[in-house]
């Protein structure tokens, strides 16, 4: 089986614990080094991981045992850290979005190709049984030809619960670049790439008030749109209506719904790995819940990195840099469309990632990859 694949983690904020819960005990990888601007936080994290050491970012990028850098920094630092890791000859798997701007993203992908290293990017939630079961149903023809979809995310804003929410309202943040990658990545898995978009956006307030933690009551500026909506034209012909908002309270809409000629699918929240997929057939008796048919069972954050490590020329990484770049293109095009009041054609495209066969937890948690299997379609 060989030695475990060495991982170095840069950025030990809120989301890092979710990754560590998966990676720290997985036999395929070994977390060998961690780094953070807050040295105390890095040492505290290293103390919970057998064999890991807290080091500087520079030391981590050149650590002889680090093969892949897990970039969990804030969006504004994604391009800098990923670029430095590539220049050091390391693979990179990063949190979403890939970068803040499309030119930065294109540069990262180009530099990785030139250096011969791999790039992967969150979200990996779409590799779970929720999105993958919905994809299997669509691919089997269960709802006939897909015609349209809706994707809706409405919350009152992350400042209510996050102790340091500044980056959510700075360039690279906002509801679209923060939460949009979950929904748009799922939509590409379900319906394929996008060729053009039409967008509209607004900003309800100039400042937000932190609602928890040591900075409780502090006001932070809002520099980005906080309500973004638009239409995605998929290359296959389907149209998706997308809404992402940090201005509303809640919604009763399905996170994602796909309408076809012969039926409709209600798809669970793509910010989660699992959830019920519901189907309503034309002239059917009513909604029914589909049993899990595809995806990593009981998956958790970090499965996308495991998937990247196991990928090869025959089966590229599913949470890939190419997909993340296309998602970034879609999001930045929506914002550009909103600003300019016109339809915007995309400059990138991507192949739909390979579907995930139904993979029990004991298989994806093991050191050996599961044997390829065909997932049932009904």
């Amino acid at each position: 089986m060989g030695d475990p694949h060495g991982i170095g983690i840069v950025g030990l904020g809120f989301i890092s614990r979710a990754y560590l819960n998966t990676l720290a005990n997985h036999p395929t990888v070994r977390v060998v080094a961690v780094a953070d601007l807050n040295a105390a936080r890095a040492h505290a994290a290293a103390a919970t991981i057998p064999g890991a050491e807290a080091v500087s970012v520079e030391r981590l990028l050149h650590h002889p045992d680090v093969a892949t850098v897990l970039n969990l920094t804030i969006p504004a630092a994604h391009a800098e850290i990923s670029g430095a890791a590539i220049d050091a000859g390391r693979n990179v798997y990063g949190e979403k979005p890939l970068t803040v701007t499309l030119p930065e993203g294109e540069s990262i992908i180009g530099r990785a190709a030139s250096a011969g290293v791999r790039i992967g990017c969150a979200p990996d939630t779409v590799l779970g049984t929720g999105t993958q079961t919905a994809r299997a149903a669509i691919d089997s023809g269960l709802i006939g030809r897909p015609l349209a979809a809706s994707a809706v995310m409405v919350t009152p804003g992350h400042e209510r619960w996050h102790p340091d929410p500044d980056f959510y309202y700075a360039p690279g943040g906002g509801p679209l670049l923060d939460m949009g990658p979950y929904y748009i990545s799922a939509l590409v898995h379900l319906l394929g790439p996008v060729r053009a978009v039409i967008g509209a956006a607004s900003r309800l307030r100039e400042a937000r008030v932190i609602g928890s933690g040591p900075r409780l009551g502090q006001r932070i500026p809002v520099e980005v749109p906080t309500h973004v909506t638009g239409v995605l034209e998929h290359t296959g012909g389907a149209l998706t209506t997308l809404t992402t908002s940090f201005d509303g309270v809640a919604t009763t809409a399905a996170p994602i719904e796909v309408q076809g000629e012969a039926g409709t699918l209600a798809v669970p929240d793509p910010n989660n790995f699992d959830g019920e997929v519901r189907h309503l057939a034309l002239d059917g008796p009513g909604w029914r819940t589909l049993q899990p048919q595809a995806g990593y069972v009981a998956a958790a954050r970090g499965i996308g990195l495991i998937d990247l490590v196991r990928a090869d020329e025959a089966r590229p990484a599913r949470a890939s840099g190419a997909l993340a770049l296309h998602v970034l293109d879609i999001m930045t095009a929506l914002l550009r469309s909103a600003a300019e009041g016109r339809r915007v054609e995309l400059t990138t495209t991507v192949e739909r990632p390979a579907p995930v066969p139904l993979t029990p937890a004991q298989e994806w948690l093991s050191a050996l990859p599961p044997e390829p299997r065909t997932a049932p379609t009904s």
Side-chain angles (χ1 to χ4, degrees), residues 290-349:
L290 303 182
Q291 293 299 308
Q293 301 173 16
Y296 292 113
V297 177
R301 278 176 169 79
I303 186 61
L305 192 155
I306 301 299
D307 186 270
L308 174 75
V309 170
R310 292 174 169 175
D312 54 30
E313 292 183 1
R315 200 278 292 163
R318 295 179 172 98
S320 67
L323 175 58
L325 182 67
H326 186 57
V327 170
L328 181 63
D329 192 8
I330 293 168
M331 295 188 297
T332 54
L334 278 167
L335 293 174
R336 189 162 72 254
S337 173
E340 299 175 2
R342 65 180 181 89
R343 176 179 178 271
V344 174
E345 294 188 358
L346 302 188
T347 60
T348 68
T349 190

Side-chain angles (χ1 to χ4, degrees), residues 65-109:
D65 295 331
V66 170
T68 295
V69 172
L70 175 56
N71 182 1
L72 302 182
T73 59
I74 63 172
H78 284 183
E80 177 186 358
I81 296 301
S82 294
I86 291 167
D87 291 345
R90 274 37 178 186
N91 306 310
V92 177
Y93 185 91
E95 252 304 315
K96 46 74 188 170
L98 178 65
T99 56
V100 171
T101 70
L102 184 61
E104 286 178 333
E106 291 171 330
S107 174
I108 289 298
I109 297 300

